[in-house]
Amino acid sequence: MSKRTTQATKRLLPPDPAPANYFLDRGFSDLGATAKHSLKATADDAVDLLRRAKGWLSATSDSILIRLAAAALFTCAGAVVAVFGPAIVLVLALLHAVAVAAGAAPQGIAAAAVGALDAAGARRRGVRGLCPVCKAPFTLPGYRCPSCGAIHYRLRPNKHGVLHHTCRCGQKLPCTRFGSNVPLTGGASFKRADLQAVCTNPAAPHPVEGTEARAVCIALAGARSTGKTAFLNAAAYGIMRQAAPARGLFATCGTGPAALRERALLADYAAGEVSLTAESTDPSQPTAAPFTFRLEGPGLDPARIVHLMDVAGEAFVANAEHERQLHYGFADGVVLMIDPMSIPQVGDALRRRLGMVDAAGVGAEDPNRVLAALVAKMQDAAETPAGSPLTVPLAVVLGKIDQAGLARFFDADAQRALLARDASLSPADAHDALCRAFLADHGMGNFLNAVDARFKTARFFACSAIGHARGSGPYAPVGVAEPLDWILRQSDPALAKALALAAPVAAASSAAAAAPAAPTRAA
């Protein structure tokens, strides 16, 4: 979202329900209105006196001497009012302004100092939020008053208060991350982070996560049946149920729709299934479906709100969404899923080796078209000129390597052979080179050139999100952690260190190669 759009949205926000300090809000405006009214009244009086002088000159009922004397008197009076009236008004206004400034200065300075300290702390800690429904970032959301439910969109040190704002219902709300207040009804004190947060979209104040936290957005891209949702399931499960507990972190998914999505994910993971992302045609519903969870614990200050954004493949490639995919513009990274069987040369050579289940889920869209759609969406979201390199890190992931003997192109033996030819490569660089070589050897040179030309930072990976044919048992993901770890190491090193997701690429690839064939796979 551009800075101009952000400012326009702020202007649309309703007035804050907390009363403002008189000196910081109405003091100078009232003074200006009073001074303006007084100057106008003075000018009207001067004009009236001069008009009466003119009236005496044109009168015929009195002698000429009386008329001249009266006209001179009213003329002098008008001149005195015209000269000294504004001067007196300006002097009184100046004295009033000094009094207002004396009342405003202490609170203004305090609000500026405390606000700057609070904002600097938020920037240092990387606090930022993201509404996965509106695809809009925010520094601070709106906050609901716990007593009356009124929404305070400007709950920070300002004209409404330095340390707290007083809601219209009388409830005091902390307006800094380190302040606290007590509920009107009594009980334990609460901080700003404890209040219910709402989106800063004034037309739809729906609840959001991210209060006093840092949003981490990893966007998935790809056509239908490329494995995006399976990758999301494996990534979310790996972080929430494996990496986080092992590192002493706490992962929570919230309540309501988030809890329902988590239960569906766990059911799919246990069964080795995938619930396809539905293509929504309802303009009131988002076309990108987020899976959101919170991470907190040692090494994470502030807490992280992780958004894994998935888009229905049909809408993605056809550009049929009824909303702009703004999250591509500020995502921490994008994972572009490619089904190797959608590459003509690979499909022609290996598709006959697929079992019935795998064959039914082959992605058929040309990867070059998918890449073009992604670039167009990212340029639109970031509002960058056509042809400008995109700065968001791109992980190109060749999925489903458990199928049709694909693992041999990326396994430990292939990596050892490459390292024998070039010992200067790291294991990660060798894996990237193997993926690039696979694409180049199968007629995807233009695709590689387009990725390097349009993205400043890109790396290639191979993985199997399920690890076997669908429905053949619980997920056994291979290579899912590496793309996530690579993205996080660039955008959020502290989170990458706290999770320590990546295992050696060679070991992961060899695991895929050694995995037994699924019962449904053809001999």
mmCIF file of all heavy atoms in Angstrom, residues 38-82:
data_model
loop_
_atom_site.group_PDB
_atom_site.id
_atom_site.type_symbol
_atom_site.label_atom_id
_atom_site.label_comp_id
_atom_site.label_asym_id
_atom_site.label_seq_id
_atom_site.Cartn_x
_atom_site.Cartn_y
_atom_site.Cartn_z
ATOM 1 N N SER A 38 -13.553 39.191 16.263
ATOM 2 C CA SER A 38 -13.315 40.527 16.825
ATOM 3 C C SER A 38 -12.834 41.501 15.764
ATOM 4 O O SER A 38 -13.251 42.674 15.740
ATOM 5 C CB SER A 38 -12.293 40.431 17.962
ATOM 6 O OG SER A 38 -12.775 39.586 18.996
ATOM 7 N N LEU A 39 -11.953 41.064 14.884
ATOM 8 C CA LEU A 39 -11.464 41.943 13.818
ATOM 9 C C LEU A 39 -12.601 42.331 12.878
ATOM 10 O O LEU A 39 -12.686 43.481 12.423
ATOM 11 C CB LEU A 39 -10.350 41.244 13.040
ATOM 12 C CG LEU A 39 -9.010 41.100 13.771
ATOM 13 C CD1 LEU A 39 -8.047 40.247 12.960
ATOM 14 C CD2 LEU A 39 -8.395 42.483 14.034
ATOM 15 N N LYS A 40 -13.475 41.376 12.601
ATOM 16 C CA LYS A 40 -14.619 41.688 11.730
ATOM 17 C C LYS A 40 -15.555 42.687 12.414
ATOM 18 O O LYS A 40 -16.050 43.644 11.785
ATOM 19 C CB LYS A 40 -15.379 40.407 11.388
ATOM 20 C CG LYS A 40 -16.530 40.623 10.397
ATOM 21 C CD LYS A 40 -17.212 39.324 10.043
ATOM 22 C CE LYS A 40 -18.289 39.544 8.987
ATOM 23 N NZ LYS A 40 -19.297 40.529 9.382
ATOM 24 N N ALA A 41 -15.788 42.494 13.718
ATOM 25 C CA ALA A 41 -16.652 43.420 14.452
ATOM 26 C C ALA A 41 -16.038 44.814 14.487
ATOM 27 O O ALA A 41 -16.737 45.838 14.352
ATOM 28 C CB ALA A 41 -16.889 42.901 15.874
ATOM 29 N N THR A 42 -14.718 44.886 14.674
ATOM 30 C CA THR A 42 -14.032 46.184 14.675
ATOM 31 C C THR A 42 -14.163 46.871 13.322
ATOM 32 O O THR A 42 -14.439 48.085 13.239
ATOM 33 C CB THR A 42 -12.548 45.986 15.025
ATOM 34 O OG1 THR A 42 -12.455 45.363 16.311
ATOM 35 C CG2 THR A 42 -11.812 47.307 15.045
ATOM 36 N N ALA A 43 -13.942 46.116 12.259
ATOM 37 C CA ALA A 43 -14.077 46.686 10.921
ATOM 38 C C ALA A 43 -15.504 47.157 10.669
ATOM 39 O O ALA A 43 -15.721 48.239 10.081
ATOM 40 C CB ALA A 43 -13.663 45.657 9.872
ATOM 41 N N ASP A 44 -16.489 46.386 11.123
ATOM 42 C CA ASP A 44 -17.887 46.789 10.945
ATOM 43 C C ASP A 44 -18.189 48.082 11.712
ATOM 44 O O ASP A 44 -18.905 48.968 11.209
ATOM 45 C CB ASP A 44 -18.819 45.666 11.425
ATOM 46 C CG ASP A 44 -18.779 44.449 10.511
ATOM 47 O OD1 ASP A 44 -18.295 44.581 9.367
ATOM 48 O OD2 ASP A 44 -19.201 43.362 10.953
ATOM 49 N N ASP A 45 -17.631 48.192 12.929
ATOM 50 C CA ASP A 45 -17.844 49.415 13.717
ATOM 51 C C ASP A 45 -17.224 50.618 13.018
ATOM 52 O O ASP A 45 -17.828 51.714 12.986
ATOM 53 C CB ASP A 45 -17.242 49.249 15.112
ATOM 54 C CG ASP A 45 -18.051 48.287 15.973
ATOM 55 O OD1 ASP A 45 -19.203 47.997 15.615
ATOM 56 O OD2 ASP A 45 -17.519 47.804 16.995
ATOM 57 N N ALA A 46 -16.009 50.456 12.484
ATOM 58 C CA ALA A 46 -15.358 51.576 11.796
ATOM 59 C C ALA A 46 -16.162 52.002 10.578
ATOM 60 O O ALA A 46 -16.366 53.200 10.326
ATOM 61 C CB ALA A 46 -13.930 51.184 11.394
ATOM 62 N N VAL A 47 -16.627 51.022 9.799
ATOM 63 C CA VAL A 47 -17.427 51.339 8.614
ATOM 64 C C VAL A 47 -18.720 52.021 9.018
ATOM 65 O O VAL A 47 -19.176 52.985 8.372
ATOM 66 C CB VAL A 47 -17.705 50.050 7.811
ATOM 67 C CG1 VAL A 47 -18.744 50.322 6.716
ATOM 68 C CG2 VAL A 47 -16.422 49.514 7.206
ATOM 69 N N ASP A 48 -19.336 51.596 10.104
ATOM 70 C CA ASP A 48 -20.589 52.199 10.562
ATOM 71 C C ASP A 48 -20.378 53.654 10.978
ATOM 72 O O ASP A 48 -21.206 54.527 10.667
ATOM 73 C CB ASP A 48 -21.140 51.391 11.728
ATOM 74 C CG ASP A 48 -22.473 51.946 12.228
ATOM 75 O OD1 ASP A 48 -23.449 51.916 11.450
ATOM 76 O OD2 ASP A 48 -22.514 52.404 13.387
ATOM 77 N N LEU A 49 -19.268 53.925 11.676
ATOM 78 C CA LEU A 49 -18.977 55.303 12.088
ATOM 79 C C LEU A 49 -18.759 56.205 10.874
ATOM 80 O O LEU A 49 -19.235 57.346 10.828
ATOM 81 C CB LEU A 49 -17.763 55.329 13.011
ATOM 82 C CG LEU A 49 -17.997 54.729 14.417
ATOM 83 C CD1 LEU A 49 -16.669 54.578 15.149
ATOM 84 C CD2 LEU A 49 -18.947 55.612 15.224
ATOM 85 N N LEU A 50 -18.018 55.703 9.884
ATOM 86 C CA LEU A 50 -17.784 56.493 8.678
ATOM 87 C C LEU A 50 -19.078 56.699 7.902
ATOM 88 O O LEU A 50 -19.295 57.767 7.296
ATOM 89 C CB LEU A 50 -16.733 55.810 7.798
ATOM 90 C CG LEU A 50 -15.321 55.744 8.382
ATOM 91 C CD1 LEU A 50 -14.405 54.952 7.463
ATOM 92 C CD2 LEU A 50 -14.757 57.165 8.591
ATOM 93 N N ARG A 51 -19.941 55.709 7.919
ATOM 94 C CA ARG A 51 -21.227 55.853 7.247
ATOM 95 C C ARG A 51 -22.070 56.918 7.937
ATOM 96 O O ARG A 51 -22.760 57.720 7.277
ATOM 97 C CB ARG A 51 -21.953 54.504 7.248
ATOM 98 C CG ARG A 51 -23.255 54.529 6.418
ATOM 99 C CD ARG A 51 -23.978 53.205 6.472
ATOM 100 N NE ARG A 51 -23.178 52.144 5.864
ATOM 101 C CZ ARG A 51 -22.655 51.122 6.539
ATOM 102 N NH1 ARG A 51 -22.847 51.054 7.853
ATOM 103 N NH2 ARG A 51 -21.954 50.217 5.915
ATOM 104 N N ARG A 52 -22.019 56.990 9.264
ATOM 105 C CA ARG A 52 -22.781 58.006 9.999
ATOM 106 C C ARG A 52 -22.199 59.402 9.733
ATOM 107 O O ARG A 52 -22.943 60.399 9.671
ATOM 108 C CB ARG A 52 -22.751 57.687 11.490
ATOM 109 C CG ARG A 52 -23.510 56.393 11.806
ATOM 110 C CD ARG A 52 -23.396 55.992 13.258
ATOM 111 N NE ARG A 52 -24.103 56.936 14.108
ATOM 112 C CZ ARG A 52 -24.195 56.810 15.432
ATOM 113 N NH1 ARG A 52 -23.578 55.771 16.040
ATOM 114 N NH2 ARG A 52 -24.867 57.695 16.165
ATOM 115 N N ALA A 53 -20.846 59.467 9.585
ATOM 116 C CA ALA A 53 -20.249 60.762 9.236
ATOM 117 C C ALA A 53 -20.746 61.240 7.888
ATOM 118 O O ALA A 53 -21.083 62.432 7.694
ATOM 119 C CB ALA A 53 -18.721 60.638 9.238
ATOM 120 N N LYS A 54 -20.825 60.353 6.953
ATOM 121 C CA LYS A 54 -21.331 60.701 5.628
ATOM 122 C C LYS A 54 -22.785 61.130 5.706
ATOM 123 O O LYS A 54 -23.234 62.055 4.998
ATOM 124 C CB LYS A 54 -21.173 59.495 4.696
ATOM 125 C CG LYS A 54 -21.622 59.761 3.274
ATOM 126 C CD LYS A 54 -21.421 58.531 2.405
ATOM 127 C CE LYS A 54 -21.891 58.806 0.981
ATOM 128 N NZ LYS A 54 -21.726 57.610 0.116
ATOM 129 N N GLY A 55 -23.547 60.452 6.609
ATOM 130 C CA GLY A 55 -24.956 60.820 6.768
ATOM 131 C C GLY A 55 -25.125 62.246 7.291
ATOM 132 O O GLY A 55 -26.036 62.976 6.875
ATOM 133 N N TRP A 56 -24.265 62.684 8.232
ATOM 134 C CA TRP A 56 -24.335 64.060 8.736
ATOM 135 C C TRP A 56 -24.035 65.069 7.641
ATOM 136 O O TRP A 56 -24.644 66.141 7.590
ATOM 137 C CB TRP A 56 -23.365 64.237 9.900
ATOM 138 C CG TRP A 56 -23.955 63.801 11.228
ATOM 139 C CD1 TRP A 56 -23.702 62.669 11.917
ATOM 140 C CD2 TRP A 56 -24.893 64.534 11.993
ATOM 141 N NE1 TRP A 56 -24.433 62.609 13.059
ATOM 142 C CE2 TRP A 56 -25.180 63.761 13.143
ATOM 143 C CE3 TRP A 56 -25.552 65.772 11.820
ATOM 144 C CZ2 TRP A 56 -26.069 64.176 14.127
ATOM 145 C CZ3 TRP A 56 -26.437 66.184 12.805
ATOM 146 C CH2 TRP A 56 -26.699 65.384 13.946
ATOM 147 N N LEU A 57 -23.097 64.731 6.771
ATOM 148 C CA LEU A 57 -22.760 65.675 5.704
ATOM 149 C C LEU A 57 -23.917 65.854 4.727
ATOM 150 O O LEU A 57 -24.105 66.944 4.152
ATOM 151 C CB LEU A 57 -21.519 65.190 4.949
ATOM 152 C CG LEU A 57 -20.192 65.304 5.698
ATOM 153 C CD1 LEU A 57 -19.069 64.696 4.879
ATOM 154 C CD2 LEU A 57 -19.874 66.774 6.022
ATOM 155 N N SER A 58 -24.662 64.804 4.515
ATOM 156 C CA SER A 58 -25.767 64.909 3.546
ATOM 157 C C SER A 58 -27.088 65.345 4.191
ATOM 158 O O SER A 58 -28.084 65.510 3.491
ATOM 159 C CB SER A 58 -25.955 63.555 2.850
ATOM 160 O OG SER A 58 -26.245 62.548 3.813
ATOM 161 N N ALA A 59 -27.092 65.535 5.524
ATOM 162 C CA ALA A 59 -28.334 65.951 6.196
ATOM 163 C C ALA A 59 -28.639 67.433 5.887
ATOM 164 O O ALA A 59 -27.756 68.218 5.575
ATOM 165 C CB ALA A 59 -28.202 65.737 7.698
ATOM 166 N N THR A 60 -29.906 67.830 6.002
ATOM 167 C CA THR A 60 -30.334 69.214 5.725
ATOM 168 C C THR A 60 -31.090 69.840 6.884
ATOM 169 O O THR A 60 -31.475 71.014 6.823
ATOM 170 C CB THR A 60 -31.247 69.235 4.483
ATOM 171 O OG1 THR A 60 -32.376 68.375 4.716
ATOM 172 C CG2 THR A 60 -30.493 68.757 3.246
ATOM 173 N N SER A 61 -31.290 69.089 7.925
ATOM 174 C CA SER A 61 -32.122 69.592 9.030
ATOM 175 C C SER A 61 -31.363 70.511 9.975
ATOM 176 O O SER A 61 -31.970 71.299 10.688
ATOM 177 C CB SER A 61 -32.702 68.414 9.818
ATOM 178 O OG SER A 61 -31.642 67.603 10.314
ATOM 179 N N ASP A 62 -30.046 70.425 10.066
ATOM 180 C CA ASP A 62 -29.246 71.235 10.977
ATOM 181 C C ASP A 62 -28.366 72.207 10.185
ATOM 182 O O ASP A 62 -28.201 72.083 8.967
ATOM 183 C CB ASP A 62 -28.387 70.358 11.863
ATOM 184 C CG ASP A 62 -29.234 69.473 12.770
ATOM 185 O OD1 ASP A 62 -30.024 69.997 13.550
ATOM 186 O OD2 ASP A 62 -29.091 68.204 12.654
ATOM 187 N N SER A 63 -27.749 73.083 10.955
ATOM 188 C CA SER A 63 -26.866 74.064 10.308
ATOM 189 C C SER A 63 -25.610 73.384 9.816
ATOM 190 O O SER A 63 -25.254 72.305 10.252
ATOM 191 C CB SER A 63 -26.504 75.179 11.309
ATOM 192 O OG SER A 63 -25.715 74.641 12.356
ATOM 193 N N ILE A 64 -24.947 74.086 8.926
ATOM 194 C CA ILE A 64 -23.736 73.542 8.330
ATOM 195 C C ILE A 64 -22.651 73.305 9.346
ATOM 196 O O ILE A 64 -21.896 72.327 9.280
ATOM 197 C CB ILE A 64 -23.239 74.477 7.195
ATOM 198 C CG1 ILE A 64 -22.054 73.837 6.456
ATOM 199 C CG2 ILE A 64 -22.885 75.842 7.748
ATOM 200 C CD1 ILE A 64 -22.370 72.558 5.793
ATOM 201 N N LEU A 65 -22.553 74.213 10.367
ATOM 202 C CA LEU A 65 -21.505 74.045 11.384
ATOM 203 C C LEU A 65 -21.750 72.784 12.215
ATOM 204 O O LEU A 65 -20.806 72.037 12.534
ATOM 205 C CB LEU A 65 -21.470 75.285 12.281
ATOM 206 C CG LEU A 65 -20.994 76.584 11.614
ATOM 207 C CD1 LEU A 65 -21.056 77.749 12.601
ATOM 208 C CD2 LEU A 65 -19.569 76.408 11.101
ATOM 209 N N ILE A 66 -23.016 72.586 12.591
ATOM 210 C CA ILE A 66 -23.330 71.383 13.388
ATOM 211 C C ILE A 66 -23.067 70.126 12.573
ATOM 212 O O ILE A 66 -22.496 69.142 13.055
ATOM 213 C CB ILE A 66 -24.786 71.435 13.861
ATOM 214 C CG1 ILE A 66 -24.972 72.575 14.857
ATOM 215 C CG2 ILE A 66 -25.207 70.103 14.483
ATOM 216 C CD1 ILE A 66 -26.400 72.775 15.306
ATOM 217 N N ARG A 67 -23.456 70.154 11.319
ATOM 218 C CA ARG A 67 -23.263 68.964 10.491
ATOM 219 C C ARG A 67 -21.787 68.677 10.276
ATOM 220 O O ARG A 67 -21.344 67.524 10.300
ATOM 221 C CB ARG A 67 -23.966 69.147 9.147
ATOM 222 C CG ARG A 67 -25.486 68.987 9.282
ATOM 223 C CD ARG A 67 -26.196 69.035 7.947
ATOM 224 N NE ARG A 67 -26.333 70.388 7.437
ATOM 225 C CZ ARG A 67 -25.903 70.823 6.275
ATOM 226 N NH1 ARG A 67 -25.288 69.990 5.459
ATOM 227 N NH2 ARG A 67 -26.069 72.078 5.894
ATOM 228 N N LEU A 68 -20.965 69.745 10.057
ATOM 229 C CA LEU A 68 -19.526 69.534 9.869
ATOM 230 C C LEU A 68 -18.879 69.011 11.153
ATOM 231 O O LEU A 68 -18.003 68.118 11.112
ATOM 232 C CB LEU A 68 -18.870 70.843 9.439
ATOM 233 C CG LEU A 68 -19.161 71.309 8.004
ATOM 234 C CD1 LEU A 68 -18.542 72.671 7.756
ATOM 235 C CD2 LEU A 68 -18.623 70.281 7.007
ATOM 236 N N ALA A 69 -19.294 69.550 12.284
ATOM 237 C CA ALA A 69 -18.712 69.107 13.560
ATOM 238 C C ALA A 69 -19.064 67.648 13.829
ATOM 239 O O ALA A 69 -18.201 66.836 14.248
ATOM 240 C CB ALA A 69 -19.221 69.993 14.694
ATOM 241 N N ALA A 70 -20.324 67.262 13.597
ATOM 242 C CA ALA A 70 -20.727 65.868 13.812
ATOM 243 C C ALA A 70 -20.012 64.927 12.852
ATOM 244 O O ALA A 70 -19.554 63.836 13.228
ATOM 245 C CB ALA A 70 -22.229 65.740 13.665
ATOM 246 N N ALA A 71 -19.882 65.338 11.592
ATOM 247 C CA ALA A 71 -19.200 64.497 10.602
ATOM 248 C C ALA A 71 -17.741 64.303 10.971
ATOM 249 O O ALA A 71 -17.176 63.205 10.857
ATOM 250 C CB ALA A 71 -19.328 65.114 9.219
ATOM 251 N N ALA A 72 -17.102 65.424 11.438
ATOM 252 C CA ALA A 72 -15.705 65.316 11.842
ATOM 253 C C ALA A 72 -15.546 64.392 13.044
ATOM 254 O O ALA A 72 -14.608 63.588 13.120
ATOM 255 C CB ALA A 72 -15.150 66.704 12.153
ATOM 256 N N LEU A 73 -16.500 64.510 14.004
ATOM 257 C CA LEU A 73 -16.432 63.667 15.196
ATOM 258 C C LEU A 73 -16.554 62.196 14.828
ATOM 259 O O LEU A 73 -15.762 61.349 15.286
ATOM 260 C CB LEU A 73 -17.543 64.066 16.163
ATOM 261 C CG LEU A 73 -17.624 63.259 17.464
ATOM 262 C CD1 LEU A 73 -16.361 63.441 18.286
ATOM 263 C CD2 LEU A 73 -18.850 63.685 18.264
ATOM 264 N N PHE A 74 -17.520 61.835 13.991
ATOM 265 C CA PHE A 74 -17.706 60.431 13.608
ATOM 266 C C PHE A 74 -16.557 59.931 12.726
ATOM 267 O O PHE A 74 -16.167 58.763 12.801
ATOM 268 C CB PHE A 74 -19.045 60.255 12.885
ATOM 269 C CG PHE A 74 -20.214 60.182 13.815
ATOM 270 C CD1 PHE A 74 -21.115 61.243 13.919
ATOM 271 C CD2 PHE A 74 -20.419 59.059 14.617
ATOM 272 C CE1 PHE A 74 -22.188 61.160 14.788
ATOM 273 C CE2 PHE A 74 -21.501 58.993 15.480
ATOM 274 C CZ PHE A 74 -22.394 60.055 15.579
ATOM 275 N N THR A 75 -15.994 60.835 11.912
ATOM 276 C CA THR A 75 -14.849 60.432 11.090
ATOM 277 C C THR A 75 -13.649 60.104 11.965
ATOM 278 O O THR A 75 -12.953 59.084 11.758
ATOM 279 C CB THR A 75 -14.488 61.526 10.091
ATOM 280 O OG1 THR A 75 -15.608 61.781 9.242
ATOM 281 C CG2 THR A 75 -13.290 61.129 9.250
ATOM 282 N N CYS A 76 -13.371 60.962 12.946
ATOM 283 C CA CYS A 76 -12.259 60.698 13.864
ATOM 284 C C CYS A 76 -12.487 59.415 14.651
ATOM 285 O O CYS A 76 -11.558 58.609 14.840
ATOM 286 C CB CYS A 76 -12.083 61.889 14.817
ATOM 287 S SG CYS A 76 -11.495 63.377 14.012
ATOM 288 N N ALA A 77 -13.739 59.232 15.094
ATOM 289 C CA ALA A 77 -14.041 58.001 15.839
ATOM 290 C C ALA A 77 -13.827 56.768 14.961
ATOM 291 O O ALA A 77 -13.270 55.739 15.410
ATOM 292 C CB ALA A 77 -15.465 58.039 16.354
ATOM 293 N N GLY A 78 -14.268 56.824 13.719
ATOM 294 C CA GLY A 78 -14.071 55.692 12.813
ATOM 295 C C GLY A 78 -12.610 55.406 12.572
ATOM 296 O O GLY A 78 -12.182 54.251 12.523
ATOM 297 N N ALA A 79 -11.807 56.514 12.420
ATOM 298 C CA ALA A 79 -10.378 56.329 12.189
ATOM 299 C C ALA A 79 -9.716 55.692 13.407
ATOM 300 O O ALA A 79 -8.846 54.810 13.283
ATOM 301 C CB ALA A 79 -9.736 57.662 11.857
ATOM 302 N N VAL A 80 -10.122 56.177 14.620
ATOM 303 C CA VAL A 80 -9.539 55.607 15.846
ATOM 304 C C VAL A 80 -9.882 54.123 15.949
ATOM 305 O O VAL A 80 -9.018 53.287 16.273
ATOM 306 C CB VAL A 80 -10.047 56.382 17.083
ATOM 307 C CG1 VAL A 80 -9.680 55.648 18.363
ATOM 308 C CG2 VAL A 80 -9.484 57.787 17.095
ATOM 309 N N VAL A 81 -11.146 53.772 15.693
ATOM 310 C CA VAL A 81 -11.554 52.366 15.771
ATOM 311 C C VAL A 81 -10.809 51.536 14.722
ATOM 312 O O VAL A 81 -10.358 50.419 14.988
ATOM 313 C CB VAL A 81 -13.072 52.244 15.595
ATOM 314 C CG1 VAL A 81 -13.483 50.782 15.443
ATOM 315 C CG2 VAL A 81 -13.790 52.868 16.775
ATOM 316 N N ALA A 82 -10.662 52.084 13.499
ATOM 317 C CA ALA A 82 -10.000 51.350 12.429
ATOM 318 C C ALA A 82 -8.524 51.113 12.730
ATOM 319 O O ALA A 82 -7.952 50.088 12.340
ATOM 320 C CB ALA A 82 -10.155 52.093 11.104
#
